[in-house]
Amino acid sequence: MAPSSALTFPSVGIPSSGTARPKPLLRRSAILASVSERPSIPTTPIPPPLTSVSSLPQEPAAPKLPLRKIPGNHGLPLIGPIMDRHDYFYNQGRDEYFKSRVLKYRSTVFRANLPPGPSIASDPRVIVLLDGKSFPVLFDVSKVEKKDLFTGTFIPSTELTGGYRVLSYLDPSEPNHAKLKQLMFFLLKSSRDRVIPEFHSSYTELFESLEADIATKGKAIFGEGNDRAIFKFLCQSFYGVDPAETKLGLDGPKLVGKWMLIQLSPLLVLGLPHPLEDLLIHTFRLPPFLVKKDYQRLYDFFYAISGPVLDEAERLGVSREEACHNLIFATCFNSFGGMKIFFPNLMKWLGRAGIGLHTELAREIRSAVRSHGGKVTMAAMEQMPLMKSVVYECLRIEPPVPLQYGKAKRDLLIESHDAAFEVKEGEILFGFQPFATKDPRIFQRAEEFVPDRFIGEEGEKMLKHVLWSNGPESENPTLANKQCAGKDFVSLVGRLLLVELFLRYDTFDIEVGRSPIGVSLTFTSLKKASF
């Protein structure tokens, strides 16, 4: 897929405003991550910026850094993994689980057990990578295998995907990987003319609903309405169909939510009493039959609306049935699930930044749109550097997919900033992305939300360290790698959300709460555009 800036999209008109010229940008303060969002790799003096972390050394005979044995251990069989699981979910929490071990071992590379462990995952042992220099080995498919590692040390039942291992679980070396990824590229390319207008339509409805709720209730919950808007937008842009006008009606988001819960429950904290929750979702799998009828409804819906894409699948040598299950996963799990996490996070960081940043964004966005005839176009969005930087900064500080895995294809030498480590063939490597993308040895003010971090030539150079898409932001997905096929689509919809928001409003206020997936968000005010 070409970078989003190279795609051609139709435009959407907006009402003109009486102000013709934007004022100079306002000064603003950076926003710090909260305690629960601060992985905090122990800070050491920051050296000059690295020239690259995307290309690791080719296993030199004599490493430049001191060779160190990987610290840490996995404890006693069965007991060690269960104790670590309780630390990860309950006693410490995920971020503190990793932070405490970095401090204990004085290393960002160490051995540990990762959930869910017994009895869902037979082998929870991993080598943890928590810095921006070691982490990118997880993208190098010449060194690591990605087969059945999408959700980590366990794989959900294939009964949840029609009996098929879908694209996310395939390694590029497997024959179907290239065919299915090519199908995803086709889906994205064939929908490009619908993306901007359908996003405008879906989110206009959402914002009008939020305004009505604030007017009558004094607040508006973002989650449920956002889920409906995302699902409608994806169905209309990818397939040209409004689900509300089909037998599926408005049930899509709820069906998808239940289906995703069954797959991800071993990795979630739902808020139940700890012993009960650990037994129900971390020790045993929730059975697929709980969502069998729901998934059949989704399958029937997608099979009916995706005819041209299924025709392309047959041309590529993929059966219509297998293709349909992959389209469901790509649309509902990858796209819907990703946006469900990403959009509230984006609103959260913007809300915390306050009116100064809101005013800058509103001026930049409105000025660029007016200069393009009052229409939202790709060309107009290319003239919004602050807006683009804000999207990248959100993807950096809180990547929507925080966990990455890979199995060493051969004996490897992996380098952190301070040491080299020997990894044996077959060992599982795990990276916790929020540590890597907040690495203070790479990013100045790494734990602060800095809206203009990626503006200008020097800022754009740092995009190679934004890793949310299973690859650097500076690189592109191909048939031969595991970088997200929709990488550019995700950054595009993030930009569109900001454009739609600040064309309508000068500023807003929010309340943020916790959720099993992402955060919960409530709007308490939306101030309509005044200039």
Side-chain angles (χ1 to χ4, degrees):
M1 180 177 176
S4 58
S5 59
L7 299 179
T8 303
F9 291 87
S11 58
V12 177
I14 64 162
S16 61
S17 171
T19 304
R21 185 180 297 271
K23 297 180 181 179
L25 298 184
L26 302 178
R27 297 181 62 84
R28 57 187 174 275
S29 300
I31 307 302
L32 283 169
S34 68
V35 173
S36 64
E37 294 158 343
R38 297 178 63 184
S40 300
I41 296 176
T43 304
T44 56
I46 300 175
L50 300 175
T51 56
S52 174
V53 297
S54 61
S55 300
L56 293 179
Q58 296 298 312
E59 290 76 61
K64 297 178 182 179
L65 293 170
L67 186 64
R68 181 182 177 188
K69 180 181 178 181
I70 300 175
N73 62 78
H74 305 291
L76 295 173
L78 189 65
I79 296 174
I82 292 176
M83 291 178 64
D84 283 351
R85 184 172 75 203
H86 281 262
D87 283 345
Y88 184 95
F89 286 125
Y90 308 116
N91 300 333
Q92 294 178 298
R94 184 182 64 183
D95 290 0
E96 188 61 30
Y97 178 87
F98 295 121
K99 180 182 176 182
S100 65
R101 284 154 178 78
V102 171
L103 295 171
K104 178 181 179 180
Y105 302 127
R106 296 185 177 276
S107 174
T108 53
V109 177
F110 55 86
R111 297 183 183 277
N113 297 300
L114 282 191
S119 59
I120 295 175
S122 60
D123 189 353
R125 297 173 298 173
V126 301
I127 297 170
V128 179
L129 312 176
L130 295 180
D131 62 82
K133 187 175 182 184
S134 63
F135 190 94
V137 72
L138 293 163
F139 309 145
D140 190 341
V141 294
S142 71
K143 298 178 181 178
V144 299
E145 181 184 80
K146 293 285 194 172
K147 182 179 180 180
D148 293 339
L149 290 173
F150 180 64
T151 44
T153 57
F154 79 105
I155 178 172
S157 171
T158 55
E159 290 182 45
L160 295 162
T161 50
Y164 293 95
R165 291 171 56 243
V166 293
L167 176 61
S168 292
Y169 291 94
L170 300 182
D171 185 77
S173 63
E174 298 182 76
N176 256 20
H177 179 273
K179 296 177 183 178
L180 291 170
K181 197 164 187 180
Q182 184 64 55
L183 183 65
M184 298 309 143
F185 289 150
F186 174 84
L187 176 68
L188 291 164
K189 183 177 180 181
S190 63
S191 64
R192 61 185 181 180
D193 290 339
R194 296 188 292 264
V195 170
I196 292 179
E198 294 301 349
F199 193 94
H200 173 75
S201 173
S202 296
Y203 276 81
T204 294
E205 291 181 13
L206 172 62
F207 288 132
E208 289 175 349
S209 175
L210 295 176
E211 290 175 20
D213 284 348
I214 291 174
T216 58
K217 304 174 185 177
K219 61 181 181 181
I221 297 173
F222 185 63
E224 187 174 341
N226 184 50
D227 288 354
R228 288 196 302 269
I230 292 171
F231 192 75
K232 178 181 178 181
F233 159 67
L234 291 173
C235 292
Q236 289 192 310
S237 60
F238 286 169
Y239 309 103
V241 173
D242 183 351
E245 297 176 356
T246 70
K247 291 181 180 180
L248 191 66
L250 300 177
D251 294 341
K254 292 181 180 179
L255 302 180
V256 172
K258 290 167 62 178
W259 173 67
M260 289 179 61
L261 175 64
I262 298 292
Q263 297 177 72
L264 295 176
S265 57
L267 302 176
L268 302 178
V269 175
L270 302 181
L272 301 173
H274 294 178
L276 178 62
E277 181 170 275
D278 195 61
L279 179 66
L280 288 180
I281 66 172
H282 298 150
T283 304
F284 301 102
R285 298 171 184 262
L286 294 175
F289 77 77
L290 293 176
V291 293
K292 183 176 181 179
K293 291 183 179 179
D294 295 336
Y295 186 72
Q296 186 63 48
R297 287 188 66 193
L298 289 173
Y299 180 86
D300 293 342
F301 169 71
F302 279 96
Y303 196 91
I305 68 173
S306 56
V309 188
L310 299 180
D311 292 341
E312 177 66 12
E314 286 190 314
R315 192 189 69 79
L316 293 170
V318 179
S319 73
R320 298 177 81 85
E321 180 182 2
E322 181 175 6
C324 187
H325 289 295
N326 274 273
L327 291 176
I328 295 171
F329 199 90
T331 305
C332 298
F333 196 107
N334 299 136
S335 301
F336 177 89
M339 293 166 71
K340 179 182 175 68
I341 297 172
F342 178 38
F343 281 8
N345 285 344
L346 186 52
M347 293 294 97
K348 176 186 70 176
W349 289 107
L350 280 171
R352 290 176 176 175
I355 191 171
L357 177 61
H358 300 175
T359 302
E360 291 183 61
L361 286 167
R363 286 176 176 159
E364 177 184 85
I365 289 168
R366 293 171 198 177
S367 175
V369 171
R370 289 183 193 121
S371 71
H372 285 77
K375 297 182 181 297
V376 178
T377 64
M378 291 299 298
M381 286 192 287
E382 286 303 307
Q383 295 183 4
M384 304 175 189
L386 177 61
M387 179 273 289
K388 292 194 294 181
S389 178
V390 165
V391 172
Y392 289 136
E393 178 68 345
C394 184
L395 291 169
R396 178 197 73 86
I397 201 168
E398 196 164 11
V401 181
L403 316 178
Q404 296 286 353
Y405 292 84
K407 180 187 289 186
K409 288 185 173 181
R410 61 179 187 274
D411 291 355
L412 299 175
L413 194 66
I414 294 176
E415 293 186 357
S416 68
H417 294 299
D418 302 310
F421 304 89
E422 291 181 335
V423 173
K424 297 300 183 182
E425 179 182 352
E427 291 192 291
I428 300 295
L429 303 174
F430 161 80
F432 184 55
Q433 197 158 190
F435 274 59
T437 54
K438 293 181 189 175
D439 187 337
R441 303 280 285 271
I442 292 175
F443 287 103
Q444 299 282 346
R445 300 157 66 194
E447 291 180 1
E448 297 178 12
F449 181 79
V450 182
D452 57 1
R453 186 185 296 276
F454 298 104
I455 291 179
E457 184 177 350
E458 292 304 311
E460 290 180 0
K461 288 180 181 178
M462 297 302 291
L463 289 174
K464 64 190 174 189
H465 304 299
V466 178
L467 311 172
W468 70 272
S469 64
N470 204 6
E473 185 64 33
S474 56
E475 297 181 9
N476 291 314
T478 69
L479 298 182
N481 66 23
K482 285 299 290 182
Q483 191 163 22
C484 175
K487 163 183 167 282
D488 296 314
F489 176 80
V490 172
S491 61
L492 172 61
V493 294
R495 296 175 188 181
L496 287 172
L497 180 62
L498 297 194
V499 169
E500 293 294 334
L501 180 69
F502 288 108
L503 288 177
R504 294 180 66 93
Y505 308 110
D506 288 343
T507 189
F508 61 92
D509 293 300
I510 56 170
E511 294 174 352
V512 180
R514 293 188 176 184
S515 173
I517 299 179
V519 297
S520 65
L521 205 67
T522 301
F523 281 87
T524 55
S525 72
L526 286 165
K527 183 181 178 182
K528 290 192 175 181
S530 61
F531 61 89

